[in-house]
């Protein structure tokens, strides 16, 4: 089978709670659902909508979600608040703290029958694409990818992967399509300032798409430093 080396994996991310900031890791375990533990939890309103940076049929926009960060301690997410508090997901007091922060009643819930994913279980971007947008490596987290691949030069080269399989060590991912962006990419988060013009830039350069979505063909582990190959 012929393969083409794309470049090394330079960053891996997992987001324990949908729409909150996540954690940068050295390895990711990938199973049939996607990255193990990724977006497994979400903030849910009494009406059953999930917290997001945008409002749709399934999601409700909530202010301040990107001010919160989530990371796992064992199997339970821990939510870090801007005031320095860190509250474990199993603490009953967490729901009141989250509700006060986002300004509406919410509870932290684990995924059940309805997936917390927007469109796809995995999301990949390239450094070539970031450079084309005039962005630095630190800006990768604006797009909430799972995998960042270091591809030389410029351009949205990941478009050519659509319909094909990318191999990352033992993991095989089928690239299903481009990722349509929303206003969340320009929101301030962590040390990144607000960039309200960014969505328009992506629209002007690439019809509001950046990065690609994928489904899992073969599970396994992905590690930083490992090479990505196009099969």
């Amino acid at each position: 089978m012929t393969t083409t080396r794309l470049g090394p994996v330079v960053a891996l991310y997992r987001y324990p709670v949908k729409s909150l900031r996540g954690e940068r890791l050295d390895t990711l375990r990938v199973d049939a659902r996607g990255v193990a533990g990724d977006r497994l939890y979400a903030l849910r309103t009494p009406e059953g909508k999930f917290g997001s940076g945008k409002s749709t049929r399934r999601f409700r926009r909530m202010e301040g979600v990107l001010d919160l960060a989530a990371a796992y301690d064992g199997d339970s997410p821990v939510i870090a608040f801007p005031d320095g508090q860190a509250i474990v997901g199993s603490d009953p007091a967490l729901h009141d703290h989250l509700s006060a922060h986002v300004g509406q009643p919410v509870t932290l819930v684990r995924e059940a029958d309805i997936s917390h994913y927007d469109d796809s279980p995995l999301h990949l971007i390239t450094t070539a694409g970031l450079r084309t947008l005039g962005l630095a490596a630190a800006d990768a987290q604006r797009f909430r990818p799972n995998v960042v691949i270091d591809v030389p030069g410029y351009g949205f080269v990941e478009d050519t992967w659509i319909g094909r399989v990318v191999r990352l060590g033992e993991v095989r991912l089928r690239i299903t399509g481009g990722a349509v962006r929303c206003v969340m990419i320009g929101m301030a988060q962590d040390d990144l300032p607000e960039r309200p013009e960014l969505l328009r830039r992506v629209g002007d350069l690439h019809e509001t798409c950046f990065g690609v979505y994928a489904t899992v063909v073969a599970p396994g582990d992905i590690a930083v430093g490992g090479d990505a190959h196009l099969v």
Side-chain angles (χ1 to χ4, degrees):
M1 182 179 297
T2 302
T3 64
T4 303
R5 181 180 181 273
L6 300 174
V9 174
V10 292
L12 296 169
Y13 296 91
R14 177 174 65 181
Y15 310 90
V17 181
K18 178 180 170 53
S19 297
L20 273 60
R21 301 199 319 273
E23 49 188 351
R24 184 167 177 171
L25 301 172
D26 293 328
T27 60
L28 291 179
R29 170 59 56 89
V30 175
D31 56 28
R33 178 184 173 275
V35 172
D38 190 48
R39 297 169 172 88
L40 190 58
Y41 292 83
L43 308 186
R44 188 176 65 188
T45 70
E47 298 77 30
K49 290 186 178 290
F50 299 121
S52 178
K54 59 186 177 183
S55 290
T56 68
R57 180 179 60 85
R58 297 175 56 216
F59 305 119
R60 174 175 291 176
R61 181 185 174 104
M62 294 182 183
E63 296 297 328
V65 287
L66 287 177
D67 296 331
L68 303 170
Y72 279 108
D73 181 5
D75 294 330
S76 183
V78 177
I79 312 301
F81 289 78
D83 63 3
Q85 288 190 90
I87 305 177
V88 67
S90 58
D91 187 337
L94 176 62
H95 308 299
D96 288 340
H97 280 79
L98 289 170
S99 299
H101 180 82
V102 301
Q104 57 186 293
V106 294
T107 54
L108 181 71
V109 297
R110 184 183 171 96
E111 186 177 276
D113 297 333
I114 302 175
S115 171
H116 293 162
Y117 289 123
D118 289 14
D119 298 292
S120 182
L122 277 125
H123 176 34
L124 298 80
I125 67 172
T126 69
T127 56
L130 288 171
R131 285 189 289 270
T132 303
L133 293 174
L135 300 175
D139 288 295
Q141 61 184 304
R142 291 186 182 276
F143 301 93
R144 304 181 67 75
N146 297 113
V147 182
V148 183
I149 300 172
D150 186 20
V151 175
Y154 292 81
F156 302 105
V157 296
E158 60 272 21
D159 289 359
T160 65
W161 308 348
I162 294 173
R164 300 182 66 181
V165 170
V166 170
R167 176 167 60 83
L168 300 152
E170 59 191 350
V171 174
R172 305 281 195 286
L173 304 177
R174 183 167 299 280
I175 307 304
T176 57
V180 179
R181 314 317 314 198
C182 69
V183 294
M184 283 189 74
I185 65 173
M187 295 179 178
Q189 53 178 293
D190 202 10
D191 294 329
L192 296 175
E194 187 174 2
R195 296 284 299 274
E197 81 288 353
L198 187 54
L199 183 60
R200 176 173 291 183
R201 181 182 301 174
V202 177
D204 290 343
L205 292 177
H206 203 229
E207 299 181 345
T208 322
C209 286
F210 179 57
V212 287
Y213 288 132
T215 56
V216 180
V217 176
D221 293 334
I222 304 173
V224 169
D227 282 335
H229 291 83
L230 187 64
V231 179

